[in-house]
Amino acid sequence: MKHHLSTQIKTKYLYWEFVVIVFLLLGLVDSPAVAEETWRNFGPEGGEVHVLAVDPVNPTTLYAGLFYKGVYKSTDGGETWASASSGLPDTLVIQGLVIDPSSPSTLYAATFDSGIYKSTNAGASWSAANTGITHMNITSLAIDPVTSTTLYAATSGVLFKSSDGGISWSASVIPYAIEALIIDPVTTTTLYIGTSSGQVAKSTDGGGTWSDTYVDAGGHITVLAVDPVAPNTIYAGFWYKGVYKSTDGGGTWSAVNTGLTDTHVHGLVIDPVTPTTIYAAT
């Protein structure tokens, strides 16, 4: 278990710095540091940050999920942070955070060994949302951008789905070691998962059935991203294999690594305004 956890830590360790810079570049958080081309440590102190979520309505409100430190919150664009872990178990490893786009005070957290937690008061308190969850190591978490009461949670060999805002979950056993999960932003019944063996699997019926393709049989997919304007364009980031791209909804893939000096990819973000601009964390 320690080895498995350390692998997950490696795939997400630098994601905090990457996402902060991406949001700065996209203009979601104002900072003079960008113009000065300098770096500052925003915190929170005392833990490794695995994941960051930004309030879609008030982008100076950020949530950070930490290794063995729960959730921290900032309301001033990351300048100061405070623990937002009331109700979460001590020494909890946060592996995913999503915010309800229609009600940003509602958040969901995926954990390494305690399933899923939900907050309905902007992180002031949390409660377990595990009815129907049978595997507590949740590797990926996604929320339907149109029908936000629909969520998907993934672990190795199982995909969980909730249609009632996390009150209950149903499980589907699928033959994949899931490492990444995304939802088509236009046709939200279309899902993609990336696996540790280099596969991307696609469902067009909300996770009911799946078809798959090998992007790279020798690779390990760490992250997926979908073009918000042309959702048949999908990107897959690999552990030591760089970035692959599909323009036919995952049917065929090709490497797009020209200029990428480090092919150990941790994260991918597509500019929502200019989706031909893509950021990769290595």
Side-chain angles (χ1 to χ4, degrees):
M1 179 176 291
K2 289 183 178 179
H3 175 72
H4 181 61
L5 177 56
S6 66
T7 300
Q8 294 185 30
I9 293 169
K10 289 176 183 177
T11 63
K12 298 178 179 178
Y13 179 69
L14 294 180
Y15 198 59
W16 161 247
E17 289 87 351
F18 162 64
V19 176
V20 168
I21 292 301
V22 168
F23 280 112
L24 291 171
L25 289 169
L26 298 186
L28 298 179
V29 180
D30 295 328
S31 173
V34 174
E36 297 165 2
E37 297 184 352
T38 61
W39 293 77
R40 288 189 293 145
N41 184 355
F42 285 98
E45 302 296 338
E48 299 171 4
V49 179
H50 281 190
V51 64
L52 178 74
V54 179
D55 188 312
V57 176
N58 298 303
T60 55
T61 296
L62 301 91
Y63 301 88
L66 277 69
F67 176 64
Y68 286 146
K69 291 287 185 178
V71 176
Y72 276 69
K73 179 180 180 180
S74 172
T75 58
D76 55 10
E79 294 290 343
T80 59
W81 294 85
S83 177
S85 297
S86 178
L88 295 176
D90 293 337
T91 66
L92 189 67
V93 177
I94 304 296
Q95 301 196 129
L97 281 173
V98 295
I99 299 176
D100 185 329
S102 63
S103 177
S105 61
T106 298
L107 300 91
Y108 301 85
T111 75
F112 171 68
D113 58 2
S114 299
I116 297 168
Y117 280 78
K118 179 179 180 178
S119 173
T120 58
N121 51 16
S125 62
W126 298 81
S127 59
N130 287 328
T131 300
I133 298 289
T134 54
H135 294 66
M136 294 299 169
N137 177 20
I138 305 300
T139 58
S140 299
L141 185 63
I143 188 167
D144 188 314
V146 176
T147 307
S148 60
T149 53
T150 298
L151 297 102
Y152 299 89
T155 188
S156 182
V158 182
L159 180 74
F160 298 99
K161 180 179 180 178
S162 175
S163 300
D164 54 15
I167 295 172
S168 62
W169 299 83
S170 59
S172 299
V173 177
I174 52 179
Y176 306 106
I178 304 169
E179 298 291 337
L181 168 66
I182 55 171
I183 301 175
D184 185 313
V186 177
T187 306
T188 59
T189 53
T190 296
L191 315 176
Y192 297 90
I193 56 175
T195 76
S196 60
S197 57
Q199 289 169 292
V200 169
K202 178 180 180 179
S203 173
T204 58
D205 56 6
T209 58
W210 296 86
S211 60
D212 63 62
T213 181
Y214 267 109
V215 184
D216 187 319
H220 177 122
I221 295 173
T222 58
V223 63
L224 294 171
V226 58
D227 188 311
V229 175
N232 276 335
T233 297
I234 314 293
Y235 299 87
F238 277 81
W239 185 261
Y240 293 126
K241 294 284 185 175
V243 179
Y244 280 67
K245 178 181 180 180
S246 172
T247 57
D248 56 6
T252 58
W253 297 83
S254 59
V256 285
N257 290 327
T258 300
L260 196 63
T261 57
D262 184 348
T263 56
H264 182 183
V265 176
H266 298 277
L268 289 171
V269 170
I270 299 174
D271 186 323
V273 178
T274 308
T276 52
T277 298
I278 304 152
Y279 300 89
T282 69

